[in-house]
Amino acid sequence: MALAYHEELDKKNTVKLRELQKDLPVFCNVFFRGIDQTTASRTKIAYAYDLKVFFTYLMEELKLHDSIEQFTVSDVENCSIPELEEYMEYLKYRTKKKKNADGEMETIDILNHNKSIKRKISSLKSFYNYLYKAGLISSNKASLLSLPKLSQEEIIRMDQGEIAEFLDEVENGNQLSKKEREFHEKNNVRDLAMMQLMLGTGIRVSECVGLNLSDLDFNNNGIRIHRKGGKNVTIYFSDEVESGLRAYLEERKLKIPASGHEEALFLSIQNKRISVRSVEKMVKKYAGRVTPLKHITPHKLRSSYGTNLYQETGDIYLVADVLGHSDVNTTKKHYAALEEERRRSVRNVVRLRKEEGES
């Protein structure tokens, strides 16, 4: 029996993680085994990358060992708080050796912003926390590190007019180049179905590409998706989205899927399950024509849906539930400006004293 998309992805990520672990000290394997059942495979890969940066710092800056495999858990325990704080400083600017197009090694500069630094320090905190709980170190010095503060980023989304223009461009491709229009003629029905689905449900791009034919339910106008955290839920779509999906399914009947991709709902031009990267390029291509000053990504389509849903319902808990946020505070943070606008709009609703002549 073929694996589901998310299962296939986890399998690939597991293989990738095993390769990355070879570049880390052997004792780190205990950490990855310990968090295996509670941590997503993509998160574990991010931990592996981040830990390699940390051990590279210990090796190159503190000169503790000549190679990463020589490190032991004692080296981690013996790191002082000033040395860990120096690591945070190191993360702001560092260099890395990489092969160029000619196959020669060259040094490149890496500048990390606070968001990237915060992630790497969070990874380090998780690593220390596990080692401490497992009794492998006697103190958790990383817990004393303060995470860098992040400035509130502007939430980028498309308004109703931009969404209409965006979908018109996906459907007609009027502003595309001659070469792009040739490709567009072969895929516009599929592209429109995908963009309508994402804008009409707020699903993540990974959830969209992971859909199978069997996940569609036209009796209830719903799709079954696999959420982050392992939960399967049903999300409902509008009649407009249904129309786009039905049109695409008629076209899909004429395609012969590649072996192993027979169940995939959305197929690439090679008749394989379309990739996340392909959808990212698709969104960039169409959005660049109608909103050139906004950097629209698949995630921004999700934000646009969340904005529309909140404006129509005023129910932040419903928005959190439909978007799959485990914590409503995450939703509130993203839609704080809209909540402020709603509060301002009702400032005159409650009347303390009626005007003369009012009943």
Side-chain angles (χ1 to χ4, degrees), residues 66 164 180 197 200 279 330:
D66 296 325
E180 286 174 330
L197 180 61
V279 180
T330 301

Side-chain angles (χ1 to χ4, degrees), residues 192-213:
L192 183 61
M194 292 190 73
M195 296 302 99
Q196 286 178 325
L197 180 61
M198 294 177 71
L199 279 165
T201 61
I203 60 174
R204 297 176 175 89
V205 61
S206 59
E207 294 165 349
C208 183
V209 302
L211 286 170
N212 286 337
L213 292 168

Side-chain angles (χ1 to χ4, degrees), residues 165-308:
E165 288 183 44
F166 174 79
L167 291 176
D168 285 344
E169 183 62 23
V170 175
E171 186 171 14
N172 303 313
N174 291 330
Q175 301 183 59
L176 300 178
S177 67
K178 183 179 179 180
K179 185 176 181 180
E180 286 174 330
R181 279 198 296 272
E182 292 175 3
F183 187 79
H184 175 263
E185 289 174 5
K186 301 175 183 177
N187 297 284
N188 65 318
V189 176
R190 179 204 66 188
D191 294 358
L192 183 61
M194 292 190 73
M195 296 302 99
Q196 286 178 325
L197 180 61
M198 294 177 71
L199 279 165
T201 61
I203 60 174
R204 297 176 175 89
V205 61
S206 59
E207 294 165 349
C208 183
V209 302
L211 286 170
N212 286 337
L213 292 168
S214 57
D215 294 323
L216 278 175
D217 175 12
F218 284 118
N219 290 327
N220 298 293
N221 272 12
I223 49 171
R224 183 178 63 242
I225 60 172
H226 184 79
R227 287 287 197 204
K228 289 200 304 184
K231 187 177 175 183
N232 289 317
V233 299
T234 298
I235 299 295
Y236 300 95
F237 51 81
S238 67
D239 294 341
E240 185 179 7
V241 173
E242 177 192 0
S243 177
L245 286 172
R246 286 189 181 279
Y248 168 67
L249 286 174
E250 287 301 311
E251 184 180 87
R252 191 193 179 287
K253 289 177 183 177
L254 305 176
K255 297 179 180 293
I256 302 176
S259 177
H261 299 264
E262 293 85 357
E263 285 299 307
L265 173 58
F266 294 112
L267 298 174
S268 68
I269 199 167
Q270 293 83 22
N271 288 333
K272 296 180 179 180
R273 185 186 297 276
I274 196 167
S275 68
V276 168
R277 182 63 183 143
S278 293
V279 180
E280 290 172 342
K281 289 181 178 179
M282 183 193 305
V283 172
K284 182 180 179 180
K285 176 178 66 177
Y286 293 122
R289 300 306 196 278
V290 297
T291 58
L293 299 182
K294 290 183 178 180
H295 179 54
I296 300 299
T297 64
H299 190 74
K300 301 302 186 295
L301 302 187
R302 181 169 155 82
S303 295
S304 300
Y305 169 78
T307 298
N308 286 337

